[in-house]
Structure formats: structure tokens, C-alpha cells
Amino acid sequence: MSTLRGRVGPVGLPEWDRCAVMGVVNVTPDSFSDGGRWFDTALAVKRGLELAAAGADLVDVGGESTRPGATRIDEDEELRRVIPVVRELVGGGVVVSVDTMRAAVAEAAVEAGAALVNDVSGGLADPAMVPAVAAAGVPFVVMHWRGFSADMNSRAVYGPDVVGEVLGELRQRLDAVVGGGIDPGRLVVDPGLGFAKNAEHDLALVAGLGRLRRELELPMLVAASRKRFLGRVLAGPDADPPPARERDAATAAVSALAAREGAWAVRVHEVRASADAVRVVRAVEDFSAAGAAGAGE
Ligand code: PMM
């Protein structure tokens, strides 16, 4: 069961009275679920505004694909893709998060008005990231990460307690970033679904979201949207998974589960269904709370 405690967000962002919904804009030619669709500044801005209008509380802008096997782009190209989109969305009144593993991109995005830095490597990819975020004083997402996308699948090796291992590795990262000067009140944790994990590992983590939240006691972001494990769950008898864009209903199901476990936010490509799902969860929780209060009278 979720409690308000788990839903309180990081210092420096608005508070939403339910699980927040983070919409995704990938300004990339090759992200696995929506690659190429918003690879143009004007289209990406339009998409971000659409997501906000559809109910996204914040919009996550990224310029580098992290799909399995992806190779890295250079910093100038990432800046070119991301910064104009961040600036225009912020100008349009959107709360923007920047999805980057590079300190220079994070700094430029914060300068352009981004309110949160979402680093899938949790500060491991660029040694300058933690000091940069500490100096900027913005919230920071620490995701569970074992290495770059080019070879992350080979790192998807866990013992029987996947959740316990991810917890242990996340704790180490959290200690490191706090040691590096980031305010613990500004941290968000993320189990990193699909990153050095196979479908079984992802399912174990979704089943363990409540444990992750209780043991880490930090706002939690859950990013299941369109990921391979959902394709595996939905695969027909021929074992062919549906294409990424046909996984949005399954994504909304995970959004409901995550909200029920007290996640602070869910990160999704299609916002409407998840925005509805988190509102239903909130209404059910209000009903339960009213019932509990009534029973106590
Ligand atoms: N997944 C992707 C990109 N960014 N950020 C966080 N915090 N957590 C994630 O799991 C995550 C992320 C990859 O998905 P996409 O390229 O389809 O958006």
C-alpha cells in the first residue's frame, strides 16, 4: 500500500497530489520505441506541448538513444538536439526534465530552464555530472545502470534476488552522489527497467516496486513505457512481440501498479492512458482512506 510519504517529490519541483506523469520526447533518429518521429526541433517542441496538454506533469527531453546496442553520439550533436527543445518548452510553461548522461548537456539544459536532470547512468558515465548537478541545485534521477547500451545485455546477470541486488547497487550510487554534494532531498531513484535486465528481471522489479520504495525511502520514478518485457508479456502464440507503439495499454497497466506502490512518477511515451490510470489509483486511495477514517470513528 502506498502512503503519502512515498509520494512526496524531490525538493525543487511542484508537488502533485498523486503519482506524476512524465511524458517523453526523444529528439533522436533511433530510439527503440519512437525513434525518428520527433527528430526535428519544431516537431519535438510540438510533441512536448501535446504531451503537456494530454496531462503530462513534466516532459523529459533526451537527445541520445539508450536502446540496447546503441552507440553514443558526440556532445555537440546532443546539445544541438536538446537545448532548443528545452528552451522552447520551458518558454511554453512546461516543467522540463533533461535525459542525459553528460554534465555539459545537463548544465546547458538547466541554464535553459530544465528543472530536473535525469541521468540513466546515475552519474557514472560522466565524472563531471555529480558536481555539476550539486552546483546547479536541481533534482537528480539516479537510475540503476551497469554500463553503456552497446553491451548492457551481457550485464543482465543476477542471482535469485534481483530486487535485492538492484537495491544494493542503487544504495551505493546514492551514497556516492550524496558524498559528491547532491542534496539527498533532491534525489529520485529509478530501478532502470530494461537496462542490463531481461524480461524476467524487469517483472521481478515491477513486482518488487513496493519493496524498493520502502527500503530506499526516496521518491521513485518508474519507466516501463513500451519496453521489451511488455512486448514479451503481450507476445502471441508465435512468440512475436507487438511493435513498441502497440504497448501503450500495457504501459498504463504498469503505471497503475506503480502508482499503487507509491511511485512518485511514471515516465511514458503516450500520456493520456497513464494520466487516467494514476487518477483512478488516487480516487481509490481516497476512498480507502475515507473508509478507514470512518471505521475509526
Ligand atoms: N529509459 C529510457 C530512457 N530514459 N530514464 C529513466 N530515468 N529511466 C528509464 O528507464 C529510461 C530513461 C529508454 O527508453 P526510451 O528511449 O524508449 O525513451
Side-chain angles (χ1 to χ4, degrees):
M1 273 284 289
S2 55
T3 63
L4 195 60
R5 167 78 191 83
R7 198 152 284 157
V8 170
V11 172
L13 286 182
E15 287 288 345
W16 293 280
D17 66 352
R18 50 167 169 71
C19 179
V21 178
M22 175 188 279
V24 179
V25 177
N26 286 318
V27 196
T28 61
D30 60 342
S31 280
F32 89 101
S33 63
D34 57 357
R37 292 195 73 201
W38 326 113
F39 188 48
D40 169 274
T41 303
L43 281 180
V45 171
K46 184 166 170 278
R47 178 64 179 162
L49 294 172
E50 274 168 17
L51 292 174
D57 300 298
L58 54 171
V59 170
D60 192 37
V61 179
E64 180 171 39
S65 170
T66 50
R67 78 183 150 73
T71 50
R72 301 206 67 192
I73 55 164
D74 68 35
E75 186 172 297
D76 286 345
E77 174 63 10
E78 193 181 341
L79 286 164
R80 191 194 65 73
R81 292 180 187 182
V82 166
I83 303 307
V85 179
V86 170
R87 189 174 294 115
E88 287 209 39
L89 287 177
V90 170
V94 177
V95 180
V96 173
S97 139
V98 62
D99 185 346
T100 184
M101 291 186 273
R102 287 198 169 95
V105 176
E107 281 171 332
V110 170
E111 180 91 354
L116 177 148
V117 174
N118 173 26
D119 177 357
V120 296
S121 82
L124 280 168
D126 182 347
M129 180 63 96
V130 171
V133 172
V138 291
F140 186 54
V141 178
V142 175
M143 196 191 84
H144 178 258
W145 188 82
R146 285 183 167 181
F148 290 105
S149 300
D151 61 354
M152 70 179 168
N153 285 347
S154 66
R155 298 177 210 258
V157 181
Y158 298 83
D161 183 12
V162 181
V163 178
E165 273 184 64
V166 168
L167 264 171
E169 291 171 29
L170 271 174
R171 278 202 188 97
Q172 282 180 13
R173 272 322 293 155
L174 292 165
D175 286 349
V177 306
V178 171
I182 297 183
D183 170 6
R186 293 188 200 270
L187 292 175
V188 174
V189 285
D190 179 334
L193 298 173
F195 284 80
K197 287 148 197 108
N198 65 27
E200 293 296 307
H201 303 140
D202 286 335
L203 285 171
L205 287 163
V206 173
L209 287 176
R211 179 176 164 204
L212 284 165
R213 190 184 63 75
R214 279 191 301 277
E215 297 205 17
L216 293 169
E217 293 193 302
L218 285 172
M220 185 170 67
L221 173 66
V222 177
S225 189
R226 299 181 176 175
K227 284 192 174 161
R228 280 171 301 161
F229 80 101
L230 295 177
R232 188 68 67 81
V233 169
L234 300 175
D238 54 3
D240 277 348
R245 273 197 268 155
E246 289 172 26
R247 302 177 195 167
D248 289 329
T251 299
V254 180
S255 295
L257 290 168
R260 189 66 172 150
E261 294 298 350
W264 164 69
V266 289
R267 178 186 180 278
V268 295
H269 299 87
E270 193 278 314
V271 159
R272 177 64 200 275
S274 287
D276 288 355
V278 299
R279 282 170 175 78
V280 171
V281 171
R282 171 65 210 240
V284 170
E285 288 174 349
D286 284 350
F287 187 82
S288 304
E297 278 167 9

